[in-house]
Amino acid sequence: MDDTHETDSEQTALWNGPAGRAWVDAQEVLDRLYAPLQDLLVEAVAATSSLVVLDVGCGTGSATLAVARTLGATGRCVGIDISEPMIALARTRAAQDRTPAEFIRADAQVHAFEPDSFDLMISRFGVMFFSDPVQAFSNLERAALPGAHMRFITWRSAADNPFMTTAERAAAPLLPNLPSRRPDGPGQFAFANRDRVHSILHESGWTDIDIQPLDVALTLPETDLVRYVTRLGPVGLILQEADDRTRALVFDTMRPAFDPYVDGADVRFTAACWMLGARAGSARSR
Ligand SMILES: C[S@@+](CC[C@H](N)C(=O)[O-])C[C@H]1O[C@@H](n2cnc3c(N)ncnc32)[C@H](O)[C@@H]1O
């Protein structure tokens, strides 16, 4: 099922354009890197008696597929994402693996979900891009069964995640048009402020809100670093448009800034995240 009703043309363009392309190109690198976070979500599914699970902002589908495999024939896992190329890859992977995961290409902020249809919602970094987070989280709450749980992983602040901004700090002198990060705007660090996230969830009708810091050690083979920093993040998006010579020059300039993270053949850093937990409220009449 696909739905073309969307709210934020900037994010829609980004995820259907350069950001979506980057995540498709680097899918294997990203899935290896973020596997420990996915494992936490799969454990959350296994620890509940959840049968129908929604993966919000599922991207190329790694967590959706892992959960569908965990549930087996007894449950369903549905992934929703606004990005056509990422959902296309997710569907291809499901067909190749013969995993019965379902995918919806739609904007989760406004998609007309069947009310009361999920008993667990999960996300790995897929819920920080809504133009109106209260509208989005209210829409998700209506789609959840009363009492249903959420387990959403989001980034804490840029200051807590210095690895993530290393490239832009190092490349800034060469890339004067590098866009600056917008605190609280849709984007990677939009959920950095715990109080803001709490009030978004509260206003959207979620209850038993529990926002815990989650620090996870991640590892990237050093050989994947060039692929990672020249495709992803603000620098990567700009370099997608650059010629090979410029891309190599910018990478060589940035590379020493990553030295503190290099440990032999690996790059190691800590992902400073929040684990958002909450339950769908019972305040509204259903
Ligand atoms: C950082 S990626 C994470 C992808 C995936 N969860 C993973 O961990 O591989 C963020 C995802 O959120 C999706 N997204 C952004 N805004 C969305 C929206 N309004 N509705 C549904 N998906 C959205 C993007 O297309 C992208 O796939």
Side-chain angles (χ1 to χ4, degrees):
M1 183 199 331
D2 285 357
D3 173 350
T4 49
H5 180 193
E6 284 146 7
T7 51
D8 185 323
S9 55
E10 192 185 326
Q11 290 297 315
T12 305
L14 198 61
W15 290 106
N16 284 282
R21 228 174 7 247
W23 277 71
V24 165
D25 285 354
Q27 174 254 313
E28 289 179 17
V29 171
L30 291 165
D31 282 347
R32 272 195 301 271
L33 175 64
Y34 293 134
L37 299 165
Q38 173 174 308
D39 292 347
L40 294 173
L41 296 175
V42 173
E43 281 165 27
V45 173
T48 65
S49 52
S50 302
L51 293 179
V52 187
V53 178
L54 179 69
D55 181 7
V56 184
C58 65
T60 56
S62 181
T64 325
L65 294 169
V67 169
R69 282 190 290 270
T70 301
L71 292 171
T74 58
R76 283 172 64 215
C77 190
V78 179
I80 182 167
D81 201 283
I82 205 166
S83 168
E84 180 66 49
M86 294 172 80
I87 281 287
L89 178 53
R91 286 177 173 147
T92 301
R93 296 174 75 190
Q96 280 168 352
D97 299 359
R98 294 171 193 262
T99 302
E102 297 162 43
F103 293 99
I104 303 170
R105 215 287 306 176
D107 183 340
Q109 183 169 317
V110 292
H111 179 66
F113 292 103
E114 184 70 29
D116 300 350
S117 51
F118 296 99
D119 44 15
L120 178 66
M121 295 193 178
I122 60 163
S123 181
R124 183 179 70 176
F125 303 141
V127 297
M128 302 89 73
F129 306 95
F130 300 122
S131 58
D132 183 340
V134 171
Q135 183 186 32
F137 278 82
S138 301
N139 195 38
L140 294 172
E141 198 273 334
R142 279 189 295 276
L145 279 158
H149 290 266
M150 75 155 67
R151 288 283 179 278
F152 289 167
I153 298 175
T154 65
W155 291 101
R156 299 209 303 275
S157 68
D160 288 333
N161 285 286
F163 175 85
M164 285 291 153
T165 50
T166 301
E168 60 220 65
R169 276 181 276 115
L174 293 177
L175 301 174
N177 296 329
L178 202 57
S180 53
R181 304 262 189 176
R182 293 172 302 185
D184 294 352
Q188 182 177 13
F189 299 116
F191 274 27
N193 183 324
R194 184 189 204 148
D195 292 344
R196 175 170 181 264
V197 177
H198 192 283
S199 67
I200 289 169
L201 297 181
H202 178 70
E203 276 184 62
S204 310
W206 291 87
T207 61
D208 297 347
I209 299 164
D210 182 34
I211 303 174
Q212 295 294 333
L214 173 71
D215 292 293
V216 180
L218 300 182
T219 306
L220 181 73
E222 201 266 343
T223 47
D224 285 344
L225 188 62
V226 62
R227 194 142 184 231
Y228 186 89
V229 296
T230 60
R231 279 180 178 72
L232 291 142
V235 173
L237 295 186
I238 286 188
L239 290 185
Q240 281 188 28
E241 306 298 321
D243 56 52
D244 289 349
R245 199 173 146 272
T246 309
R247 195 177 298 116
L249 172 70
V250 175
F251 181 71
D252 290 347
T253 304
M254 293 187 290
R255 178 60 187 79
F258 286 95
D259 282 348
Y261 300 101
V262 177
D263 177 13
D266 290 324
V267 174
R268 297 179 192 279
F269 66 95
T270 299
C273 305
W274 298 120
M275 175 66 88
L276 315 187
R279 293 171 74 107
S282 51
R284 70 195 156 84
S285 53
R286 294 189 188 246

